Each structure stands twice: as C-alpha cells, then as structure tokens.
C-alpha cells in the first residue's frame, strides 16, 4: 500500500474551530444524511440497555461458584457484546484521574505548543486531527494524540507532550498499570476460549514483541452535533482496547443489531472491547463490534483509548484449537502492520476490513 508522506489537505484543528465561535460547521465535517446521528440514536440514548459491567474482584473470591460465574459473565460479554466495563481492576483511581487531567490540560494549551507535536500519516505519532488520507473525505469532529508504549523500539518519550510538566511521567505510569491489566485480561480471555492461559499473550509476541499505544481523543463542543460525528463507525484494528472516558458526558455508542447503544460510563471503570485481531485469533467466537462517537453542543469530551496489540510482524490467524470441520478457519493470515495500513489510509470504515479478510469458503 502506498505510504503518504503528508496530509492531502491543510489540517483543521477542531478545538480551535470550536473556540472561534462559529455557528455552522464547515462543509467537510457535514456527514451525508445516511451517516448522521439519526432520530433513532436520540431514542436509544434513553435506552435502558447498557454493556455488561464486571467486578474483577469477584475473580479473587474464596467462593469457587462466584469465580466461575464471573468467568462466565466475561465469556458471554465477549461473545455477545464484544464490549464490557470493568471495576476493581487494580489500576489506581488517582492515576486515572491524573491521566485524564494532564491530557485535558494538553488539549487546552495554546495552538503553537500543540503544533510542536503535529503528526503526519507516516506513523501517526503526535497531535492529529484526521484519520486517513483520502482527499475530500468527510472529517470527524475530533483532535487526538497518538503515541507508542511498546514494543520498546517504537517507544520514544521525546514524541510525548512536554507540557504539562508532569505529562510524560504520568503517561508512563498509566501505561505500566494498564498494561498489567491488559495482560491479565488476555489470560482470562484465553482460558475462556479453552486455550492455554498464555495463548493470547504468546500470540501477541510475549513481553518483548507485544505492542501498546495510546490514542487520546478530544471532542470539542460542536454547534451542529446532529450533522457530524466525533468518530465515525469503526472496529478497532488491534487486539483489545481499554477506554477511559469522561464520566460526566456520554458520547460512545456501540452497535447492537440496527441500533446504537449509548454507553453510560461507570466512574473509575474501564470500557474494554475486542479488536479485529482477537476476532481473527478466536476465529470469530469473539467479535470486534462497531462503535462510533457522537458530540454535543454543551460539553467537550475526552477519552484515553489504550490499544493492546500483537507485535507488528507476527502473522495473526485463527487458533488451530478453534478450527474444526464444522467451524473452519474464517480468516487468512496477515501481520498487524499490514492490517493497520488500511485504516491509516482509508480512515474509519465500519467493519469492512475484517470482513474483507474472510477466507474463500
Ligand atoms: C477509539 C474509540 C471511543 C471514544 O479511539 O478507537 O473508539 O469514546 N474511542 O472516544
Ligand atoms: Ni474505537
């Protein structure tokens, strides 16, 4: 796939656009009528349904039936929702609050300060405002910052924000704790799939090769929220995502059949979702579910999306143990680097990519 060296059009910083006091959003943010948050969405935001909530402390219960039941709730959430929230996950609540705090401060810095970290489509690392390099594409109402934690060879703290002053240290500590939780979750998922508990960890490349990156999304107030989206429908290309959203404002919506369910975030919880690589490794027993973000005119919103991924050069294919005569391998092998090039070129496109990986039957 061709590698673009620069963005196809001048970059518009959404926060600055929002702060300028415009009453109408520019044409490039106006989605086609079929892609706008619809009346249906407004209805489902009052929908009582929510993604499953899991208390990880229950896995440490002395009562075996509580442990088994919790494993089963997680298994069902992975199979039927692809999304769940976890509490009592072991990550310090203070650290979570500090991480959200420094990032909010970063996005409120003067533009020149943020521009020092402006990104390009070659690696996406840094401060960005679009996904994909298709000229004339409709844009999402979001600025973001993207950085690598792992593998070690991709980690470069000099590419992380230098302000606020505590930012790099807090990002580092946050990554360490969240990575520990991710490793624990991959064990739980492996066991639930009937695999060796280290299966997913090993397939991701183990401690030395596995990847981890952070995308901090900042969704400014939008004067015409019905015409645009903060993030277009997509499934996450990587392994597993741990999202830390603001809790006083909603925005994330998860596809459930023909409906979009608005997630109501629980304080101090992480929202966990399966990415495309887990869909492939589990041979579609677990699915990466499409999701999107809506914006509003009253409140800005920020979220920290932590992506836990296989190493870029490892061939990812359905686990042999999960391939049978009745349930043959559904996907062709591909490395995560090859896979990721797609969203980096085309931007968010629903589930079209993982579908295109289907092996001929
Ligand atoms: C993402 C994502 C959701 C949100 O960054 O991939 O889906 O609520 N974010 O910001
Ligand atoms: Ni996502």
């Amino acid at each position: 796939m061709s590698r673009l060296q620069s963005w196809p059009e001048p970059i518009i910083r959404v926060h600055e656009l929002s702060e300028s006091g415009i009453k109408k959003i520019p044409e490039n943010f106006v989605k086609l009528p079929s892609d706008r948050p619809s009346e249906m969405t407004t209805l489902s935001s009052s929908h009582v349904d929510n993604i499953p909530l899991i208390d990880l402390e229950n896995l440490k219960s002395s009562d075996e039936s509580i442990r088994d039941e919790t494993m089963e709730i997680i298994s069902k959430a992975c199979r039927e929702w692809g999304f769940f929230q976890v509490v009592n996950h072991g990550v310090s609540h203070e650290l979570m609050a500090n991480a959200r705090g420094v990032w909010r401060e970063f996005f409120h810095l003067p533009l020149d300060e943020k521009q020092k970290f402006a990104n390009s489509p070659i690696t996406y690392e840094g401060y960005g405002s679009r996904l994909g390099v298709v000229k004339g594409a409709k844009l999402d109402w979001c600025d973001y910052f993207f950085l690598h934690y792992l593998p070690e060879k991709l980690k470069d703290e000099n590419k992380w924000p230098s302000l606020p002053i505590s930012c790099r240290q807090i990002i580092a500590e946050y990554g360490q704790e969240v990575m520990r939780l991710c490793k624990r979750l991959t064990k739980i998922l492996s066991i639930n799939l009937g695999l060796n508990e280290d299966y997913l960890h090993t397939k991701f490349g183990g401690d030395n090769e596995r990847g981890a990156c952070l995308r901090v999304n900042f969704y400014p107030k939008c004067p015409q929220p019905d015409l645009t989206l903060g993030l277009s429908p997509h499934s996450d290309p990587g392994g597993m995502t741990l999202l830390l959203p603001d809790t006083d404002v909603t925005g994330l919506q998860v596809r459930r059949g023909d409906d979009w369910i608005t997630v109501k975030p629980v304080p101090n919880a992480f929202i966990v979702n399966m990415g495309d690589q887990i869909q492939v490794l589990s041979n579609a027993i677990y699915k990466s579910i499409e999701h999107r973000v809506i914006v509003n005119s009253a409140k800005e919103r920020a979220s920290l999306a932590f992506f836990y991924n296989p190493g870029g050069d490892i061939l990812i294919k359905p686990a042999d143990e999960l391939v049978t005569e009745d349930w043959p391998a559904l996907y062709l092998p591909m490395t995560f680097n090859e896979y990721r090039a797609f969203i980096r070129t085309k931007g968010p496109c629903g589930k079209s990519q993982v579908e295109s990986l289907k092996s001929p039957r």
Side-chain angles (χ1 to χ4, degrees):
M1 211 170 300
S2 70
R3 286 256 173 163
L4 256 121
Q5 304 292 307
S6 59
W7 301 111
E9 289 140 338
I11 287 291
I12 307 168
R13 300 302 181 185
V14 181
H15 184 47
E16 280 60 33
L17 190 59
S18 167
E19 296 282 286
S20 73
I22 49 156
K23 298 281 178 290
K24 282 186 143 190
I25 64 175
E27 202 49 42
N28 13 10
F29 291 92
V30 178
K31 305 286 181 187
L32 298 173
S34 58
D35 295 338
R36 294 176 195 169
S38 60
E39 284 304 304
M40 266 308 279
T41 307
T42 325
L43 269 181
S44 36
S45 52
S46 60
H47 208 288
V48 287
D49 229 349
N50 202 359
I51 58 173
L53 176 64
I54 289 149
D55 184 347
L56 287 183
E57 196 61 30
N58 286 338
L59 289 176
K60 294 183 182 157
S61 168
S62 55
D63 183 340
E64 191 184 348
S65 66
I66 292 183
R67 297 198 305 270
D68 289 350
E69 191 190 340
T70 309
M71 288 298 277
E72 181 50 35
I73 298 171
I74 299 173
S75 169
K76 200 162 173 224
C78 293
R79 282 180 280 119
E80 297 181 2
W81 284 87
F83 263 87
F84 53 90
Q85 300 195 62
V86 288
V87 289
N88 289 322
H89 41 60
V91 179
S92 145
H93 293 177
E94 189 190 350
L95 184 55
M96 292 163 80
N98 289 344
R100 279 171 50 197
V102 287
W103 279 112
R104 189 171 294 274
E105 261 185 72
F106 171 80
F107 284 102
H108 282 278
L109 287 172
L111 183 59
D112 328 344
E113 209 45 66
K114 295 182 283 191
Q115 285 292 54
K116 292 180 186 164
F117 296 92
N119 75 350
S120 86
I122 304 171
T123 67
Y124 274 86
E125 287 168 284
Y127 173 52
S129 297
R130 72 181 283 161
L131 255 179
V133 291
V134 179
K135 204 171 173 163
K138 291 292 185 189
L139 303 175
D140 287 341
W141 194 263
C142 178
D143 297 322
Y144 65 87
F145 200 102
F146 181 73
L147 61 86
H148 287 285
Y149 283 107
L150 283 177
E152 212 55 55
K153 64 177 181 206
L154 289 183
K155 178 180 173 189
D156 182 356
E157 291 201 14
N158 292 318
K159 293 182 180 167
W160 302 4
S162 49
L163 287 177
I165 220 83
S166 57
C167 202
R168 287 182 181 164
Q169 165 138 22
I170 289 175
I171 298 169
E173 284 173 26
Y174 182 79
Q176 263 183 0
E177 290 208 17
V178 177
M179 253 151 2
R180 203 174 310 136
L181 173 59
C182 286
K183 189 170 176 180
R184 183 171 168 217
L185 287 168
T186 57
K187 279 193 178 179
I188 296 171
L189 266 49
S190 301
I191 295 168
N192 272 340
L193 284 165
L195 303 165
N196 176 303
E197 67 168 28
D198 291 326
Y199 185 90
L200 289 174
H201 182 64
T202 307
K203 282 292 159 184
F204 276 31
D207 288 331
N208 294 330
E209 280 184 76
R210 66 186 168 150
C213 32
L214 181 70
R215 182 180 138 108
V216 183
N217 301 294
F218 185 76
Y219 306 100
K221 288 182 213 168
C222 178
Q224 293 180 299
D226 298 339
L227 300 184
T228 193
L229 287 168
L231 190 51
S232 292
H234 66 285
S235 58
D236 293 346
M240 184 175 70
T241 306
L242 263 63
L243 187 84
L244 175 60
D246 278 341
T247 36
D248 54 349
V249 51
T250 58
L252 174 63
Q253 296 187 323
V254 175
R255 187 189 270 288
R256 189 89 171 139
D258 290 333
D259 216 354
W260 289 100
I261 305 284
T262 302
V263 175
K264 291 162 201 75
V266 169
N268 297 313
F270 282 101
I271 297 169
V272 181
N273 67 283
M274 308 293 113
D276 295 340
Q277 306 307 308
I278 287 197
Q279 175 165 332
V280 171
L281 282 162
S282 72
N283 205 17
I285 295 173
Y286 294 168
K287 294 196 183 60
S288 61
I289 298 296
E290 223 180 320
H291 51 286
R292 68 177 189 183
V293 175
I294 55 169
V295 289
N296 72 86
S297 57
K299 246 182 159 159
E300 64 186 36
R301 176 174 176 271
S303 71
L304 278 60
F306 188 96
F307 301 115
Y308 194 63
N309 300 327
D313 300 325
I314 302 168
L315 265 188
I316 299 295
K317 63 180 185 59
D320 292 339
E321 294 86 337
L322 303 177
V323 173
T324 62
E325 217 161 287
D326 295 343
W327 192 251
L330 291 174
Y331 308 100
L332 298 169
M334 192 185 265
T335 68
F336 180 50
N337 277 346
E338 287 173 283
Y339 193 90
R340 177 147 75 176
F342 180 98
I343 193 167
R344 290 189 165 188
T345 306
K346 298 207 173 159
C349 293
K351 288 213 49 159
S352 60
Q353 191 191 7
V354 71
E355 293 303 325
S356 73
L357 207 62
K358 283 251 159 80
S359 56
R361 300 287 294 277

